[in-house]
Amino acid sequence: LNPIKSKRKYPYNSGKDKHMSCEIYYFSGTGHSLLAARDMADCLGATCIPMVSRIQETKIQCDADTICLVFPIYHATFGASGLPVIVSDFVNKLINLQGKYIFAIGTHSGFPGLTMEKLAQRLGNLGGKLSAGIMVQLNVPYKTPEKMRHAFFKKPLDCDWDEDRKERETRMNSWHKSMANYAAAIKERESIPLDFPGPVKRIWWKGYLAFQKKMALAHYQELTGSDSVDFMALTLQADCTFSTTEACKGCGTCVKICPTQNISMIDGKPVWQHRCENCAACYHWCPSHAIEGDMMEYEKPVEAPGITIKDMLAQTASFRSKQ
Ligand SMILES: Cc1cc2nc3c(=O)[nH]c(=O)nc-3n(C[C@H](O)[C@H](O)[C@H](O)COP(=O)(O)O)c2cc1C
Ligand code: SF4
Ligand code: SF4
């Protein structure tokens, strides 16, 4: 692992505004969205609530007058909504959104696509309005040529780790700077224009996304051994590539950390149940690094600065309190 330190240069805890109540609902697999949610909560004096703690409700009513949704952007590269399944479900269940100030933060690794535009449409259909859609890249993926070499020639994935750390540090610092400005605007309930791509980019993307979607579909069909063309259904089953190495100690952390309760312990070993969000939490946070799986082959073993396994386990604490 290659940890980086975050340099928080803006005033934290700028104080709870007595005229504003704010709930920040988050979903996170590897910790970056939790980091963004926590930073923003700290700035606004808001409460962070895991989306998974309310996902069993049939309708979700948020009491605060300001609502924030924080999540990782998934599969935007393949022309999907960009929302993880759990986030999509959460949004669909929201009620009584009229008059609320709603903003969203999507963390990504370089291609957020049309996620905020689609989310704005979805909230509009539910009677709400997305006043700010912030997209932030905190993560640095392997470079495309590196991924191509791996995909076509099976070369091991690698990168210059010093360069990688520097780039992540720069991204983190830039997030902290821009976040202070966003927080000031949010406190005033200002609308921040959504960063939609222009018409030329859209035309170019149309072809690019169609190509990517074909590639991704073929990849997930290969992973699952299925010939289904339902991409999202295939992603739920892609956990069939997971297995454990001899390093597995049977500690059960993967079971506890999985936000979709997709892992059961059978004979002291994890068994995946095919309703997988592909969030990488089990893989990433296993204390023994004992999980392998083709689905995770492009995941970099890096940490979101300041986020611990204990922080991640808080996301699923509501499941355990009901057991
Ligand atoms: C299944 C999956 C799909 C992803 N798809 C995209 C994508 O389409 N575009 C992108 O920029 N990043 C994509 N990413 C990267 C994540 O959005 C990024 O790493 C995010 O910060 C992870 O947030 P988390 O640490 O809170 O889980 C994807 C990651 C995963 C695990
Ligand atoms: S977290 Fe890792 S070591 Fe613990 S049971 Fe799961 S796979 Fe095994
Ligand atoms: S099984 Fe692992 S990758 Fe799948 S949803 Fe659970 S924690 Fe995420």
Side-chain angles (χ1 to χ4, degrees):
L1 295 177
N2 194 19
I4 63 169
K5 288 199 180 87
S6 88
K7 293 180 194 149
R8 296 172 163 186
K9 283 198 176 145
Y10 55 90
Y12 255 67
N13 288 318
S14 46
K16 194 176 174 100
D17 186 328
K18 62 178 187 282
H19 302 297
M20 174 180 152
S21 61
C22 177
E23 287 173 346
I24 297 186
Y25 287 92
Y26 73 91
F27 171 70
S28 183
T30 54
H32 297 88
S33 307
L34 173 57
L35 178 147
R38 224 164 62 167
D39 280 350
M40 192 51 93
D42 215 355
C43 246
L44 296 174
T47 315
C48 271
I49 306 167
M51 287 187 192
V52 297
S53 70
R54 299 200 58 183
I55 203 66
Q56 304 299 343
E57 296 173 34
T58 42
K59 292 195 162 93
I60 299 174
Q61 156 86 47
C62 302
D63 295 328
D65 51 29
T66 297
I67 306 171
C68 174
L69 307 171
V70 190
F71 53 86
I73 289 175
Y74 285 176
H75 308 303
T77 355
F78 315 140
S81 74
L83 300 184
V85 177
I86 219 163
V87 178
S88 179
D89 278 358
F90 185 91
V91 171
N92 287 345
K93 290 178 175 181
L94 287 169
I95 54 164
N96 296 334
L97 295 176
Q98 292 79 358
K100 293 196 187 283
Y101 180 91
I102 307 172
F103 71 107
I105 305 174
T107 71
H108 64 93
S109 63
F111 193 91
L114 298 172
T115 305
M116 287 302 167
E117 183 172 330
K118 289 180 179 171
L119 178 61
Q121 278 164 2
R122 188 98 70 99
L123 289 168
N125 293 340
L126 295 168
K129 178 176 184 272
L130 184 66
S131 293
I134 301 164
M135 293 184 284
V136 52
Q137 182 182 351
L138 299 174
N139 216 343
V140 181
Y142 289 112
K143 301 220 173 338
T144 306
E146 189 70 22
K147 289 199 238 175
M148 302 289 247
R149 270 196 292 275
H150 179 73
F152 295 114
F153 306 110
K154 296 286 165 219
K155 295 252 187 244
L157 284 158
D158 201 4
C159 68
D160 180 333
W161 288 103
D162 278 342
E163 205 182 281
D164 182 83
R165 188 180 47 75
K166 275 189 214 140
E167 190 176 341
R168 286 189 291 122
E169 227 161 35
T170 308
R171 292 197 170 278
M172 199 57 63
N173 292 337
S174 131
W175 156 244
H176 285 148
K177 273 191 206 138
S178 55
M179 189 188 60
N181 295 333
Y182 287 134
I186 288 159
K187 279 193 173 179
E188 295 301 319
R189 293 171 76 91
E190 284 173 15
S191 274
I192 302 175
L194 301 179
D195 181 16
F196 292 160
V200 178
K201 216 170 184 182
R202 272 169 203 272
I203 292 169
W204 188 82
W205 274 8
K206 224 176 163 179
Y208 170 76
L209 292 180
F211 172 72
Q212 288 279 359
K213 197 172 179 178
K214 259 198 165 142
M215 297 280 284
L217 188 66
H219 182 55
Y220 272 84
Q221 283 174 335
E222 191 190 327
L223 290 182
T224 55
S226 161
D227 56 7
S228 165
V229 288
D230 182 344
F231 179 70
M232 293 319 281
L234 289 176
T235 63
L236 296 177
Q237 294 169 34
D239 61 359
C240 63
T241 68
F242 279 140
S243 59
T244 50
T245 65
E246 285 183 354
C248 174
K249 295 191 172 70
C251 67
T253 304
C254 51
V255 177
K256 288 187 205 145
I257 216 157
C258 175
T260 61
Q261 296 182 287
N262 182 40
I263 309 176
S264 308
M265 276 314 248
I266 299 177
D267 296 332
K269 293 281 179 251
V271 179
W272 285 265
Q273 305 293 336
H274 313 318
R275 43 172 192 273
C276 176
E277 185 68 74
N278 297 199
C279 73
C282 55
Y283 169 83
H284 198 88
W285 297 101
C286 165
S288 308
H289 304 292
I291 298 176
E292 297 181 320
D294 288 350
M295 181 174 61
M296 292 294 132
E297 63 189 337
Y298 295 98
E299 273 288 312
K300 257 189 195 172
V302 293
E303 287 182 333
I307 300 298
T308 64
I309 195 166
K310 195 166 157 227
D311 299 327
M312 290 304 298
L313 284 167
Q315 177 169 236
T316 50
S318 61
F319 296 154
R320 292 190 293 285
S321 66
K322 285 181 197 134
Q323 280 160 4

